[in-house]
Amino acid sequence: MTIAHLRTYTINKGMMDSWLKLFDETLIDVMDGFGMKAETVWVNEEESQFIWIRSYGDTMEELEAKEAAFYGSDWWEENMPLVRGHLAHRDIKVIKSVD
């Protein structure tokens, strides 16, 4: 079983291109360094929402530990305003794979 988040971000108007560049060129590698993987990414037809799955491992404990490390990191503290500045809204659901 894999524990993951289904994340839907509403991106601020006019910022989707900037968000996609930030995500592709920076965030994927940073998250990978904390053991979190972007499994798949999507943009809705209106190009206002960014939908993705971020996986953590096999247990909720792994999810919690990896998120704590990421959100407690110097990188996040320094870059949080840039990242969150793209987002009008976030919807995050814990999901698990069915074996």
Side-chain angles (χ1 to χ4, degrees):
M1 174 174 57
T2 300
I3 301 292
H5 275 159
L6 172 61
R7 293 173 163 256
T8 302
Y9 294 171
T10 302
I11 305 300
N12 288 320
K13 188 173 179 86
M15 297 188 81
M16 183 62 80
D17 288 343
S18 174
W19 171 255
L20 293 173
K21 181 177 179 168
L22 175 63
F23 192 86
D24 185 52
E25 293 180 3
T26 303
L27 288 171
I28 289 175
D29 288 339
V30 171
M31 290 183 301
D32 191 53
F34 285 92
M36 302 180 294
K37 183 177 179 192
E39 297 288 342
T40 185
V41 299
W42 303 80
V43 174
N44 70 340
E45 186 175 9
E46 297 82 17
E47 295 191 3
S48 62
Q49 289 185 315
F50 180 81
I51 302 109
W52 61 299
I53 294 175
R54 179 162 83 184
S55 64
Y56 297 89
D58 299 331
T59 66
M60 282 300 296
E61 290 78 15
E62 285 180 272
L63 181 153
E64 291 165 359
K66 290 174 182 179
E67 281 212 321
F70 176 71
Y71 290 117
S73 71
D74 290 340
W75 186 92
W76 179 250
E77 185 175 319
E78 294 167 10
N79 291 280
M80 185 269 294
L82 172 64
V83 173
R84 293 264 171 94
H86 285 83
L87 309 180
H89 180 74
R90 296 176 301 141
D91 181 58
I92 302 168
K93 294 178 175 66
V94 174
I95 58 175
K96 55 186 172 181
S97 63
V98 178
D99 295 329

